[in-house]
Amino acid sequence: MTDASAPPETTDSDPHRWLEEVESPEAMAWVASRSTAAEDRLRSHPRYASLHAGLQEALEAPDRIPLVGQVGEHLYGFWTDADHPRGVWRRTTWESYRAPDPEWEVLLDVDALAREEDVPWAWQGASVLRPTQDRALVHLSRGGSDAGTTRELDLTTLQWVPAPEGFTKGEAKGRLAWRDRDHVYLTTAADPTGATRSGYPRTVRLWRRGTPVEQAQVVHTVGEDDLGLFVEHDQELGRTLLRRAVAFYASETMVLTDHGPVTLPVPTSADVSVHQDHVALRLREDWTPADGAGTWTQGSLLVAPLDDVLRGDADWSAVFVPDERSALVDLTWTASHLVTTALVDVRHTVQVHSPAPDGAWTAEDLTGALDVGLRTVSVSAVEAHRSEDLWVVTTGFLEPMELSVAHLGAGGHGTVLETLKAAPARFDATGLEVSQHWASSADGTRVPYWQVGPADLPLDGTTPTVLHGYGGFEHALTPAYDPVVGRAWLASGHVHVVAGIRGGGEFGPRWHRAALGPERHRAYEDFVAVARDLVSRGVTSVERLGCTGRSNGGLLVGNMLTGYPEDFGAVVCQVPLLDMRRYHLLLAGASWTAEYGDPDDPAQWEWLRTYSPYQRFDPSRPTPAVYLATSTRDDRVHPGHARKMAALLEEHGRDVTYWENTEGGHGGASTAAQWATWHALAWAFLHERLAG
């Protein structure tokens, strides 16, 4: 029997590198011993049983809103519940969906398939063939990993279409995408041309029905050093776009023509959206077009006719230009309009933009009509080519999700909002309030944060408080109803805080770029500034203050653990990056060098080492109690990060609790029961360490 406490011999300077061997017997024995110990202790906490039961009940509640998307005359959606923990893909009609209890036609039962094939399948999505809607490409993954498979499903017989007639992609990162009934585009990291260094497909092929996949025609290939090559096909217009991702924030958009791909002459740093005969361009950097007519500022959204862009003589119109308080969040197209969502002081606004006959664009504010308030609003087209309708989803820290459809009038005038579904409350919010505050970072920058807790909070430092953050990849944290936080923490009269630190997208590209590469420390200074503001305001005290973060947020709280240990009483660090010396060599890590830097470059390693928690650990400094969690099936952020950090802390006798789920991918879990365990263990740890 393997001794879990005795690692294999290693010649590397890192004595814990053997834990990077994801499924080696030695590593899995180490994982099992730590995970068992964590479960034994935390499941004995007085709150654990009620936490787990309450969280699973909320996650499986039958009165959750069934979100859907329209294809033809049907509304399609994926649903999980207590009887179907892995889920069912199903569809209904508009008439039925408007009813309190819609009638559903089940197209695929993932649980039944998992039992039949003895594989823990997890849903990754599906694409329905248009206009016939009689076939679908179904995407599944083993245990929730990013690498997945695709199969063709006959929607009239509800049977898989067998090879060689049917399309099937083996297990790898990549997808199949419809071109027409008898052709699909194939991207796979298992292509004979190989994968990129980041592990993504580098070749797009066109595959004809009934022919061996080996005969699929190469459409385009990119280099190994690119991040990847991706394909989008508009079945309505018959137009194919190729996206060559050069790096995480640099890409080329190509229109596929009879003569091959034609690259749009726009900045590679910009986000490109092509709809019907228009191109929308969201700038990450200031840009002066070739005609020299002027310079557009970063964060602006520009629109021009596609044909003009392809010719290189586009006259761009600005439909959104940010100021110091605002940032574009998202955009969606209807048949005649461009609808944008923006943040102003981290509060959502919505505008509909319409082209005028003279080529100009008009704007109409929909924020009031959609009754946004302090909630987060997400809008998306119901059918982008055929309808002016929008799906509208709203949610707030204390307001459960609502789903509506907005019927846009001309130019946005006369918009009618039809509420379709409203989720009930999942926790008692009586006496709770939401407030927005601002902390001052080390360089004087004002950092926003949301505080949720009792309205009559005693400002005496006694309230257990959890601070959550992310601060990366231009992702903004905004109000959202979370039954997990509500039941596990707020219901106990505690405080939950969400910080909008630099590196995120709360104020657009400038806020993100302010914490890239050598400036990454700004994100961590922002986060600890919020922590100290909470203490100085009397909301909590250091010993009652914890922090949580996942993925890049795990890197964030890892830096609190090793860089600011005196400011926190407990740390929850999940699916994290922690070893920044080797992150680019592990799984998808190479794709993030644009965010963090390249450790193989000595000059860049000099700044990277200052925020690499694994290397930054100082045995002479104390560390707060830490809970580390990851997934064996995470093929995006390597589980070795969390494993090695736990081993390092153990080596120095620190208070570390480690737990690893053997399923779940980067999300951490695959079913409601797994999710309940994932969350209940972490929140039991926080109750144990912060609330006594």
Side-chain angles (χ1 to χ4, degrees), residues 127-245:
S127 174
V128 177
L129 176 66
R130 299 171 186 256
T132 57
Q133 294 121 44
D134 62 337
R135 296 287 177 90
L137 296 172
V138 174
H139 312 292
L140 302 165
S141 77
R142 187 186 304 267
S145 60
D146 285 355
T149 67
T150 303
R151 309 180 194 181
E152 185 179 2
L153 182 66
D154 188 322
L155 296 182
T156 60
T157 66
L158 301 186
Q159 299 294 315
W160 300 116
V161 183
E165 180 68 14
F167 294 113
T168 302
K169 182 188 78 68
E171 189 172 9
K173 291 184 179 180
R175 286 288 176 95
L176 295 181
W178 292 113
R179 193 193 75 167
D180 53 46
R181 185 177 189 82
D182 291 324
H183 297 84
V184 294
Y185 289 109
L186 166 66
T187 58
T188 175
D191 191 272
T193 58
T196 66
R197 298 190 191 282
S198 298
Y200 293 100
R202 56 184 292 246
T203 297
V204 171
R205 294 177 183 269
L206 183 62
W207 184 11
R208 183 165 61 86
R209 185 183 297 282
T211 64
V213 68
E214 292 79 12
Q215 295 180 12
Q217 175 186 353
V218 173
V219 175
H220 194 63
T221 299
V222 299
E224 290 184 1
D225 290 333
D226 286 345
L227 191 152
L229 182 63
F230 309 93
V231 62
E232 302 171 18
H233 183 75
D234 188 323
Q235 294 186 63
E236 295 278 351
L237 300 180
R239 180 172 59 212
T240 301
L241 299 180
L242 303 179
R243 308 275 189 179
R244 176 200 171 203

Side-chain angles (χ1 to χ4, degrees), residues 440-465:
S440 181
S441 193
D443 63 354
T445 298
R446 295 178 73 238
V447 181
Y449 66 93
W450 297 99
Q451 178 179 313
V452 188
D456 58 353
L457 182 72
L459 297 178
D460 59 3
T462 62
T463 305
T465 300

Side-chain angles (χ1 to χ4, degrees), residues 490-563:
L490 295 175
S492 299
H494 302 334
V495 171
H496 191 249
V497 177
V498 177
I501 62 178
R502 281 175 285 187
E506 286 79 4
F507 297 98
R510 70 175 180 85
W511 198 246
H512 172 231
R513 296 174 69 84
L516 284 182
E519 301 302 318
R520 199 71 184 179
H521 62 96
R522 299 297 184 193
Y524 310 138
E525 291 168 355
D526 290 358
F527 195 71
V528 79
V530 173
R532 292 170 180 173
D533 198 54
L534 291 167
V535 172
S536 68
R537 289 176 48 231
V539 172
T540 191
S541 57
V542 169
E543 58 269 20
R544 292 190 176 273
L545 176 61
C547 61
T548 62
R550 293 171 48 88
S551 192
N552 172 76
L555 174 61
L556 164 67
V557 298
N559 272 278
M560 298 303 106
L561 177 71
T562 57

Side-chain angles (χ1 to χ4, degrees), residues 16 561-562 578 613-614 617-618 621-628 642-657:
H16 306 299
L561 177 71
T562 57
L578 294 168
Y614 188 61
F617 172 73
D618 181 353
R621 297 182 71 182
T623 50
V626 59
Y627 175 83
L628 285 155
R643 293 175 178 182
K644 295 197 302 178
M645 194 74 197
L648 176 63
L649 293 169
E650 280 185 359
E651 179 186 340
H652 292 276
R654 300 307 167 90
D655 186 347
V656 56
T657 302

Side-chain angles (χ1 to χ4, degrees), residues 291-374:
D291 60 12
T295 297
W296 300 104
T297 59
Q298 63 176 340
S300 296
L301 180 65
L302 312 180
V303 184
L306 174 59
D307 288 344
D308 294 353
V309 176
L310 287 169
R311 287 196 306 269
D313 60 0
D315 183 12
W316 295 94
S317 298
V319 297
F320 177 86
V321 177
D323 58 23
E324 289 298 305
R325 300 172 53 212
S326 64
L328 182 69
V329 174
D330 203 2
L331 64 89
T332 189
W333 296 90
T334 68
S336 306
H337 307 294
L338 171 60
V339 183
T340 58
T341 308
L343 292 176
V344 179
D345 288 337
V346 205
R347 303 183 183 206
H348 276 80
T349 64
V350 181
Q351 289 194 320
V352 58
H353 309 270
S354 309
D358 63 358
W361 287 73
T362 61
E364 180 78 14
D365 185 57
L366 293 186
T367 309
L370 301 183
D371 190 25
V372 175
L374 292 182

